[in-house]
Amino acid sequence: MADEMKSAYDRAMERIKSLEDPSKEEVLTWKYVPEGQRLAVRFLKEEFNLATELGKFKDEERRYVAKGAEEVLLRNIVLPIHDIAKKNNKRAMDAVKAIKKDKTAVENVFTKMRRVFDHYTGEGEQQRKQAYEMLKQDFQAKLQQAMRQQGIPPGTKINIEGQPQFQEEWHLTLSQMDAQYNQLLDEYKQEITNLR
């Protein structure tokens, strides 16, 4: 058994020795992408000029720091479900635009994102309200039928919206509706990632 363990250990050590040293790019990525991520998180919480902070890094390092910052900023661009999300979106979008070189191309993608946001808060809001009312009516009809079958007198008041099953069904419906918007946002975020 000890010989088997030793040979397994020896094999593992041989594999480790056969691994190549990391490339310079890998080392820079490991070191500076997380630095950029931390900087972006701090930027989203505090007021400071992100471009100035990025300027403190050498050219070679800056690319990796900017990549890490961009990842965090793009993850923080979300559907405008409330005013705080709208404010954070604008802040993150402005910062991404400041980081990227091709500002015109970035602005073109952001214009498409803003259309998604406008649709979400306009027509999408109406669609969500209609879906909510339809779900509420459907749930109420099913609940009344179940009450009749159990002999509960008609007219008994039950808070439909407070029922856990209703809430669960509504969250499922809402996430399905939002998935279409999120898919578009993800595609636009990928477009931005691919830009210089």
Coordinates of all heavy atoms in Angstrom, one line a residue, residues 16-55:
I16 N 3.5 17.6 -12.1 CA 3.7 19.0 -11.7 C 5.0 19.5 -12.3 O 5.0 20.6 -12.8 CB 3.7 19.1 -10.1 CG1 2.3 18.9 -9.5 CG2 4.3 20.5 -9.7 CD1 2.3 18.8 -8.0
K17 N 6.0 18.7 -12.3 CA 7.3 19.1 -12.9 C 7.2 19.3 -14.4 O 7.8 20.1 -15.0 CB 8.4 18.1 -12.6 CG 8.8 18.2 -11.1 CD 9.9 17.1 -10.8 CE 10.2 17.1 -9.4 NZ 11.1 16.0 -9.0
S18 N 6.3 18.5 -15.0 CA 6.1 18.6 -16.5 C 5.3 19.9 -16.9 O 5.3 20.2 -18.1 CB 5.5 17.4 -17.0 OG 4.1 17.3 -16.7
L19 N 4.6 20.5 -15.9 CA 3.8 21.7 -16.3 C 4.8 22.8 -16.7 O 5.9 23.0 -16.1 CB 3.0 22.1 -15.1 CG 1.8 21.2 -14.7 CD1 1.2 21.7 -13.4 CD2 0.8 21.1 -15.8
E20 N 4.4 23.5 -17.6 CA 5.2 24.7 -18.1 C 5.1 25.8 -17.1 O 4.0 26.0 -16.5 CB 4.8 25.1 -19.5 CG 5.1 24.0 -20.5 CD 4.7 24.4 -21.9 OE1 4.4 25.6 -22.1 OE2 4.5 23.6 -22.8
D21 N 6.1 26.7 -17.1 CA 6.0 27.9 -16.3 C 4.9 28.8 -16.9 O 4.7 28.7 -18.2 CB 7.3 28.6 -16.3 CG 8.3 27.9 -15.4 OD1 7.9 27.2 -14.5 OD2 9.5 28.2 -15.6
P22 N 4.2 29.5 -16.1 CA 3.1 30.4 -16.7 C 3.8 31.4 -17.6 O 4.9 31.9 -17.4 CB 2.5 31.0 -15.5 CG 3.4 30.8 -14.4 CD 4.3 29.7 -14.7
S23 N 3.0 31.8 -18.7 CA 3.5 32.8 -19.6 C 3.4 34.2 -18.9 O 2.8 34.3 -17.9 CB 2.7 32.8 -20.9 OG 1.4 33.3 -20.5
K24 N 4.1 35.1 -19.5 CA 4.1 36.5 -18.9 C 2.6 37.0 -18.9 O 2.2 37.7 -18.0 CB 5.0 37.4 -19.8 CG 5.1 38.8 -19.2 CD 6.0 39.6 -20.0 CE 6.1 41.0 -19.4 NZ 7.0 41.9 -20.2
E25 N 1.9 36.7 -20.0 CA 0.5 37.1 -20.1 C -0.3 36.5 -18.9 O -1.2 37.2 -18.3 CB -0.1 36.8 -21.4 CG -1.5 37.3 -21.6 CD -2.0 37.2 -23.0 OE1 -1.2 37.3 -24.0 OE2 -3.2 37.0 -23.1
E26 N -0.1 35.2 -18.7 CA -0.9 34.6 -17.6 C -0.5 35.2 -16.2 O -1.4 35.5 -15.4 CB -0.5 33.1 -17.6 CG -1.1 32.3 -18.7 CD -0.6 30.9 -18.7 OE1 0.5 30.6 -18.4 OE2 -1.5 30.0 -19.1
V27 N 0.7 35.5 -16.0 CA 1.1 36.1 -14.8 C 0.5 37.5 -14.6 O -0.1 37.9 -13.6 CB 2.7 36.2 -14.6 CG1 3.1 37.1 -13.5 CG2 3.3 34.8 -14.6
L28 N 0.5 38.3 -15.7 CA -0.1 39.6 -15.7 C -1.6 39.5 -15.5 O -2.2 40.3 -14.7 CB 0.2 40.4 -17.0 CG 1.6 40.8 -17.1 CD1 1.9 41.4 -18.5 CD2 2.0 41.9 -16.1
T29 N -2.3 38.5 -16.1 CA -3.7 38.3 -15.9 C -4.0 38.0 -14.5 O -4.9 38.6 -13.8 CB -4.2 37.2 -16.8 OG1 -4.0 37.6 -18.2 CG2 -5.7 36.9 -16.6
W30 N -3.3 37.1 -13.9 CA -3.5 36.6 -12.5 C -3.3 37.8 -11.5 O -4.0 37.9 -10.5 CB -2.6 35.5 -12.1 CG -2.9 34.2 -12.9 CD1 -4.0 33.9 -13.6 CD2 -2.0 33.2 -13.2 NE1 -3.9 32.7 -14.2 CE2 -2.6 32.2 -14.0 CE3 -0.6 33.0 -12.8 CZ2 -2.0 31.0 -14.4 CZ3 0.0 31.8 -13.2 CH2 -0.7 30.8 -14.0
K31 N -2.4 38.6 -11.8 CA -2.1 39.7 -10.9 C -3.0 40.9 -11.1 O -3.4 41.5 -10.1 CB -0.6 40.1 -11.1 CG -0.2 41.2 -10.1 CD 1.3 41.5 -10.2 CE 1.7 42.5 -9.1 NZ 3.1 42.8 -9.2
Y32 N -3.2 41.3 -12.3 CA -3.9 42.6 -12.5 C -5.4 42.6 -12.8 O -6.1 43.6 -12.6 CB -3.1 43.4 -13.6 CG -1.8 43.8 -13.1 CD1 -0.6 43.2 -13.6 CD2 -1.6 44.8 -12.1 CE1 0.6 43.6 -13.1 CE2 -0.4 45.2 -11.7 CZ 0.7 44.6 -12.1 OH 2.0 44.9 -11.7
V33 N -5.9 41.5 -13.3 CA -7.4 41.4 -13.5 C -8.1 41.5 -12.2 O -9.0 42.3 -12.0 CB -7.8 40.1 -14.3 CG1 -9.3 39.9 -14.2 CG2 -7.3 40.3 -15.8
P34 N -7.7 40.8 -11.1 CA -8.3 41.0 -9.8 C -8.2 42.4 -9.3 O -9.1 42.9 -8.6 CB -7.6 40.0 -8.9 CG -7.1 38.9 -9.8 CD -6.7 39.7 -11.1
E35 N -7.0 43.0 -9.6 CA -6.8 44.4 -9.2 C -7.9 45.3 -9.8 O -8.5 46.2 -9.2 CB -5.4 44.9 -9.5 CG -5.0 46.2 -9.0 CD -4.8 46.2 -7.5 OE1 -4.5 45.1 -6.9 OE2 -5.1 47.2 -6.9
G36 N -8.1 45.1 -11.1 CA -9.2 45.9 -11.8 C -10.6 45.6 -11.3 O -11.4 46.5 -11.2
Q37 N -10.8 44.3 -10.9 CA -12.1 44.0 -10.3 C -12.3 44.7 -9.0 O -13.4 45.3 -8.8 CB -12.2 42.5 -10.1 CG -12.2 41.7 -11.4 CD -12.1 40.2 -11.3 OE1 -11.5 39.7 -10.3 NE2 -12.5 39.5 -12.3
R38 N -11.3 44.7 -8.2 CA -11.4 45.4 -6.9 C -11.6 46.9 -7.1 O -12.4 47.6 -6.4 CB -10.2 45.2 -6.0 CG -10.1 43.8 -5.4 CD -9.0 43.7 -4.3 NE -7.7 43.7 -4.9 CZ -7.1 42.6 -5.5 NH1 -7.7 41.5 -5.4 NH2 -5.9 42.7 -6.0
L39 N -10.9 47.5 -8.1 CA -11.0 48.9 -8.4 C -12.5 49.2 -8.8 O -13.0 50.2 -8.4 CB -10.0 49.3 -9.5 CG -9.7 50.7 -9.7 CD1 -9.1 51.3 -8.4 CD2 -8.7 50.8 -10.8
A40 N -13.1 48.4 -9.7 CA -14.4 48.6 -10.1 C -15.4 48.5 -9.0 O -16.4 49.3 -8.9 CB -14.8 47.6 -11.3
V41 N -15.2 47.5 -8.1 CA -16.2 47.4 -7.0 C -16.1 48.7 -6.1 O -17.1 49.2 -5.7 CB -15.8 46.1 -6.1 CG1 -16.5 46.2 -4.8 CG2 -16.2 44.9 -6.9
R42 N -14.9 49.1 -5.9 CA -14.7 50.4 -5.1 C -15.3 51.6 -5.8 O -16.0 52.4 -5.2 CB -13.2 50.6 -4.9 CG -13.0 51.6 -3.8 CD -11.5 51.8 -3.5 NE -11.2 53.2 -3.8 CZ -10.1 53.6 -4.5 NH1 -9.2 52.8 -4.9 NH2 -10.0 54.9 -4.7
F43 N -15.2 51.6 -7.2 CA -15.7 52.7 -8.0 C -17.3 52.7 -7.8 O -17.9 53.8 -7.7 CB -15.3 52.5 -9.4 CG -16.1 53.5 -10.4 CD1 -15.7 54.8 -10.5 CD2 -17.2 53.0 -11.1 CE1 -16.4 55.6 -11.3 CE2 -17.9 53.8 -11.9 CZ -17.5 55.2 -12.0
L44 N -17.9 51.6 -7.8 CA -19.3 51.5 -7.8 C -19.9 51.9 -6.4 O -21.0 52.3 -6.3 CB -19.8 50.1 -8.1 CG -19.6 49.7 -9.6 CD1 -19.9 48.2 -9.8 CD2 -20.5 50.5 -10.5
K45 N -19.0 51.8 -5.4 CA -19.4 52.2 -4.0 C -19.0 53.7 -3.7 O -19.6 54.3 -2.8 CB -18.7 51.3 -3.0 CG -19.3 49.9 -3.1 CD -18.5 49.0 -2.1 CE -19.0 47.6 -2.1 NZ -18.3 46.7 -1.2
E46 N -17.9 54.2 -4.3 CA -17.4 55.5 -3.9 C -17.4 56.4 -5.2 O -17.4 55.9 -6.3 CB -16.0 55.3 -3.4 CG -15.8 54.4 -2.2 CD -14.3 54.2 -1.9 OE1 -13.5 55.0 -2.3 OE2 -14.1 53.2 -1.2
E47 N -17.2 57.7 -4.9 CA -17.0 58.6 -5.9 C -15.5 58.9 -6.2 O -14.8 59.3 -5.3 CB -17.6 60.0 -5.5 CG -19.1 60.0 -5.6 CD -19.7 60.0 -7.0 OE1 -19.1 60.5 -7.9 OE2 -20.8 59.4 -7.1
F48 N -15.0 58.5 -7.4 CA -13.7 58.8 -7.8 C -13.6 58.6 -9.3 O -14.4 58.0 -9.9 CB -12.6 58.0 -7.0 CG -12.5 56.6 -7.3 CD1 -11.8 56.0 -8.3 CD2 -13.2 55.7 -6.5 CE1 -11.7 54.7 -8.6 CE2 -13.2 54.3 -6.7 CZ -12.4 53.8 -7.8
N49 N -12.5 59.1 -9.9 CA -12.3 59.0 -11.3 C -11.6 57.7 -11.7 O -10.4 57.6 -11.4 CB -11.6 60.2 -11.8 CG -11.5 60.3 -13.4 OD1 -11.4 59.3 -14.0 ND2 -11.6 61.5 -13.9
L50 N -12.3 56.8 -12.3 CA -11.8 55.5 -12.6 C -10.7 55.6 -13.6 O -9.7 54.9 -13.5 CB -12.9 54.6 -13.1 CG -12.5 53.1 -13.4 CD1 -12.0 52.4 -12.1 CD2 -13.7 52.3 -13.9
A51 N -10.9 56.4 -14.6 CA -9.8 56.6 -15.6 C -8.5 57.1 -15.0 O -7.4 56.6 -15.4 CB -10.3 57.5 -16.7
T52 N -8.6 58.0 -14.1 CA -7.4 58.5 -13.4 C -6.7 57.3 -12.6 O -5.5 57.2 -12.7 CB -7.7 59.6 -12.4 OG1 -8.4 60.7 -13.1 CG2 -6.5 60.1 -11.7
E53 N -7.5 56.5 -11.9 CA -6.9 55.4 -11.2 C -6.3 54.4 -12.1 O -5.2 53.8 -11.8 CB -8.0 54.7 -10.4 CG -8.5 55.5 -9.2 CD -7.5 55.8 -8.2 OE1 -6.7 54.8 -7.8 OE2 -7.4 56.9 -7.7
L54 N -6.9 54.2 -13.3 CA -6.3 53.3 -14.3 C -5.0 53.8 -14.8 O -4.0 53.1 -15.1 CB -7.3 53.0 -15.4 CG -8.4 52.1 -15.1 CD1 -9.4 52.0 -16.3 CD2 -8.0 50.7 -14.8
G55 N -4.9 55.2 -14.9 CA -3.7 55.8 -15.4 C -2.5 55.7 -14.5 O -1.4 55.9 -14.9

